[in-house]
Amino acid sequence: MLFGTPAVRPINTYPVWKYLLIGIVFLFGIIYSLPNLYGEDPALQLSAQRSAQLTEAQIAQAREVLNNAKLPFKSVEQQGDNFLIRFNNTEDQLKAQQLVRKALGGDVTVALNLAPATPAWLTALGASPMKLGLDLRGGIHFLIEIDMETALGKREEQMAEDFKSLMREEGLRYASSQRRAEGGVQVRFRDADSRDKAIVAVRRQNPDLVVTDGSEGEFFYLNAALSDQALRTARSEAVEQNLTILRNRVNELGVAEPVIQRQGAERIVVQLPGVQDSARAREILSATATLEFRMVNEDRDVQDALAGRIPADSELLYEINGQPHLVKKQVIVRGENVVGARSGLDQNNFPKVSVDLDGKGGQRMLANTKANVGKQMASVLIEFKPVYEEVDGQMVPVRQERVVKVINAARINGVFGPSFEITGVGSPAEAQELALLLRSGALTAPIQIVEERTIGPSMGQDNIDMGMKAMAIALAAVMGFMLLKYKVFGIATNIALFMNLALTVAVMSLIPGAVLTMPGIAGLVLGVAMAVDANVLINERIREDMRGGMSPAMAIQRGYDEASQAITDSNLTNLISGLVLFGVGSGTIKGFAVTLCIGILASMFTAVTGTRAIINLIYGGRDVKKIHV
């Protein structure tokens, strides 16, 4: 060798860095797929209601109830503000839920949960098990019905308020504008001329309304009602708006791959895979919490209101701390005008919620604050909460209770419009939950969960067992065939198959939105088959070259080099198909596409680079006379 001439690397060898890189990738696959072997423990999650904390006495009471019932549990551990009680099986978990819920009462939410049993050292590395779909892990199925009568009633109430504004803009004196019991809105006048001008103005601004007129005694009136087409549109819009809001709320819950779709004219189906905290899910989905901003009636004494003398235009409301306020019924801005809400801390480190309004709400708030500087404005929260009663030994929701409370009543010190802050919320958790409800939107109307079905982990486990059994049989058959057919090269292929599976599972476990379903298991099996297909192509090319008289070392090199292009082209076409499935599919189809795409990318690495590294270690860098293929 002449001085300065670079050394020629022996045939079929990799540099050390490449072996290290492949080893690191394989080690990554093993470590981050391991959590899926440990499974999950059936558990009860105990959480306090807002503005309260679980006490040691409550936890001790839960322990005592379980011990008295001779229900064994694995551990009781604290996770943030919640406590988790782990059990050995789902039967004990379900029995314990009823006992603990009855013992602790309505102040504590007792929800079913599945707690990962991942060892601490894996958790410290950020490793966690895959998220499983509704058919594998179990979860919650809700069928929700919209209270359409309330939705239309709220629209008519808003119409009555809009007519008042319209009359003032047109300079028309009216006696009253209110919703009619039989439907629609009636505006009363003291003279026919004002009534006739009002009809023209109403028809001009609201062409979708049916407007009629008449007289009664000394009053002249107009009646306005939605036309049949407008009624159908309003019903459809109510469903679509609630559909969008429910999607936002599910996103806030952090559920991966949920199913939220319309069913019929007034119903919505919601499926939450992996969710066992049914109480929390029901509370978030069915909450019709909305915010209203109203002026405090400072012209009357609140003590008179406490004595029962409440003005017709006001109502007596209370803050969380019990302080009474006489609040006017007229609403300045409603929750539907809220476009953004964020929780945080004010300059004194007290919880606050920053609110952003849309253009219409901002204009109303600006006009109100201009006219009422120095007066008090109340932030009023209205919620519909489910009331539970024991029926046949089970706590079930029996009705919705309307809860109205004042968050705070603050003096307007200056003029503001679409952006402002709400203080005096209570705790940071309460501020966060209020921001969540405001951010995800106020439901157009109260909803009723008419069907709730929890798919238990045991049923999901049966599906997992059947899917894993099918995969194991397929894997064993394929590995046996490869070993018998290709000898040493079959061993390398089988090692690559295991690594392909480990890498796919590891990546699925790390991707936040990836969910494994029954079709996803089919995608895993298909990925294994594609990896085998690539190695069959390589091995047959090597055999063909050797039959043509080529040396084993050259046959290995040409086999991998020549077949790699065909393998890449084949996998890229499959990858394009998978991406199209992911783009246009939904639900389980999208889950299958995710698994398929990850499996394709993993097989391209393990089938070519992985197996070649193993073969290079066995046959590379020396003059080989015979290979076992």
Side-chain angles (χ1 to χ4, degrees), residues 26-103:
F26 282 0
L27 184 62
F28 161 84
I30 292 172
I31 289 176
Y32 285 92
S33 60
L34 274 179
N36 296 280
L37 300 178
Y38 292 94
E40 295 170 312
D41 293 328
L44 290 185
Q45 180 176 294
L46 309 183
S47 56
Q49 297 289 341
R50 296 190 309 171
S51 74
Q53 297 291 328
L54 283 173
T55 64
E56 289 294 334
Q58 289 172 317
I59 300 303
Q61 187 179 3
R63 287 175 181 269
E64 183 181 359
V65 166
L66 296 176
N67 289 330
N68 291 340
K70 294 184 169 49
L71 280 176
F73 54 93
K74 296 172 72 172
S75 65
V76 178
E77 57 193 62
Q78 186 170 3
Q79 292 187 346
D81 293 333
N82 303 329
F83 278 82
L84 211 63
I85 306 177
R86 295 176 181 260
F87 295 88
N88 296 308
N89 54 65
T90 54
E91 290 183 9
D92 291 345
Q93 177 199 32
L94 294 173
K95 292 177 183 176
Q97 184 193 30
Q98 294 297 325
L99 293 173
V100 174
R101 178 180 285 171
K102 189 173 181 179

Side-chain angles (χ1 to χ4, degrees), residues 474-488:
L475 196 61
V478 168
M479 293 177 69
F481 171 80
M482 295 300 292
L483 190 60
L484 293 173
K485 179 79 173 175
Y486 299 113
K487 307 296 188 293
V488 173

Side-chain angles (χ1 to χ4, degrees), residues 407-540:
I407 297 175
N408 74 337
R411 201 162 295 281
I412 300 173
N413 295 320
V415 178
F416 56 85
S419 299
F420 56 94
E421 295 177 351
I422 303 172
T423 57
V425 179
S427 66
E430 191 172 353
Q432 187 175 6
E433 185 164 347
L434 175 61
L436 183 155
L437 290 173
L438 293 174
R439 185 168 62 248
S440 58
L443 291 172
T444 307
I447 60 174
Q448 181 68 35
I449 297 176
V450 296
E451 179 185 334
E452 178 181 340
R453 188 168 68 249
T454 301
I455 300 174
S458 58
M459 183 181 295
Q461 188 62 46
D462 290 342
N463 290 334
I464 293 174
D465 294 341
M466 289 187 291
M468 291 298 108
K469 184 178 180 181
M471 181 184 291
I473 293 172
L475 196 61
V478 168
M479 293 177 69
F481 171 80
M482 295 300 292
L483 190 60
L484 293 173
K485 179 79 173 175
Y486 299 113
K487 307 296 188 293
V488 173
F489 281 74
I491 294 174
T493 300
N494 290 342
I495 294 173
L497 287 182
F498 269 117
M499 296 317 304
N500 175 73
L501 196 59
L503 281 174
T504 304
V505 172
V507 174
M508 286 280 291
S509 301
L510 288 175
I511 296 178
V515 177
L516 183 67
T517 59
M518 282 292 283
I521 293 178
L524 285 176
V525 177
L526 185 57
V528 169
M530 292 168 62
V532 169
D533 184 58
N535 283 114
V536 168
L537 188 61
I538 293 170
N539 295 343
E540 288 299 326

Side-chain angles (χ1 to χ4, degrees), residues 140-160:
I140 304 173
H141 168 96
F142 290 117
L143 180 60
I144 294 172
E145 187 172 72
I146 298 170
D147 185 351
M148 200 59 71
E149 183 178 344
T150 302
L152 295 176
K154 288 178 67 175
R155 178 156 183 164
E156 290 176 347
E157 288 174 0
Q158 187 61 47
M159 280 171 51

Side-chain angles (χ1 to χ4, degrees), residues 57 81 155 203 244 283 317-318 368 390 430 462 467 481 501-502 538 557 590 604:
D81 293 333
R155 178 156 183 164
R203 284 176 174 165
T244 302
E283 181 182 346
L317 301 178
Y318 293 86
N368 180 75
E390 186 174 350
E430 191 172 353
D462 290 342
F481 171 80
L501 196 59
I538 293 170
Q557 185 177 33
K590 186 170 286 190
M604 291 174 68

Side-chain angles (χ1 to χ4, degrees), residues 91-290:
E91 290 183 9
D92 291 345
Q93 177 199 32
L94 294 173
K95 292 177 183 176
Q97 184 193 30
Q98 294 297 325
L99 293 173
V100 174
R101 178 180 285 171
K102 189 173 181 179
L104 297 183
D107 292 334
V108 178
T109 299
V110 183
L112 297 176
N113 208 331
L114 285 174
T118 308
W121 68 274
L122 280 175
T123 304
L125 293 174
S128 59
M130 279 188 294
K131 301 174 184 66
L132 303 180
L134 196 69
D135 53 353
L136 295 181
R137 186 177 183 183
I140 304 173
H141 168 96
F142 290 117
L143 180 60
I144 294 172
E145 187 172 72
I146 298 170
D147 185 351
M148 200 59 71
E149 183 178 344
T150 302
L152 295 176
K154 288 178 67 175
R155 178 156 183 164
E156 290 176 347
E157 288 174 0
Q158 187 61 47
M159 280 171 51
E161 293 297 322
D162 291 342
F163 287 165
K164 290 179 182 179
S165 300
L166 179 61
M167 297 306 107
R168 287 193 291 268
E169 291 172 5
E170 296 291 329
L172 299 174
R173 299 184 65 181
Y174 65 96
S176 65
S177 175
Q178 58 190 11
R179 184 186 172 210
R180 302 170 66 205
E182 57 269 31
V185 175
Q186 184 175 89
V187 185
R188 290 178 164 241
F189 302 87
R190 297 191 182 276
D191 61 275
D193 185 53
S194 296
R195 188 268 317 272
D196 295 339
K197 290 179 181 179
I199 290 176
V200 174
V202 169
R203 284 176 174 165
R204 183 177 66 246
Q205 286 204 359
N206 303 276
D208 57 344
L209 295 181
V210 176
V211 183
T212 59
D213 59 4
S215 61
E216 182 180 347
E218 61 178 355
F219 291 104
F220 300 85
Y221 61 82
L222 69 85
N223 291 333
L226 293 170
S227 64
D228 291 341
Q229 178 60 39
L231 206 57
R232 286 191 293 270
T233 303
R235 291 176 182 273
S236 180
E237 287 177 351
V239 176
E240 291 300 323
Q241 184 179 346
N242 278 3
L243 199 63
T244 302
I245 291 167
L246 288 174
R247 285 197 183 102
N248 293 337
R249 292 188 176 186
V250 169
N251 290 338
E252 294 287 351
L253 280 170
V255 180
E257 299 268 345
V259 176
I260 307 168
Q261 58 191 15
R262 184 171 180 171
Q263 186 178 89
E266 299 178 2
R267 290 187 171 186
I268 296 173
V269 171
V270 178
Q271 292 183 352
L272 307 175
V275 174
Q276 293 295 314
D277 190 349
S278 59
R280 170 66 173 164
R282 190 191 306 110
E283 181 182 346
I284 292 296
L285 290 178
S286 62
T288 52
T290 185

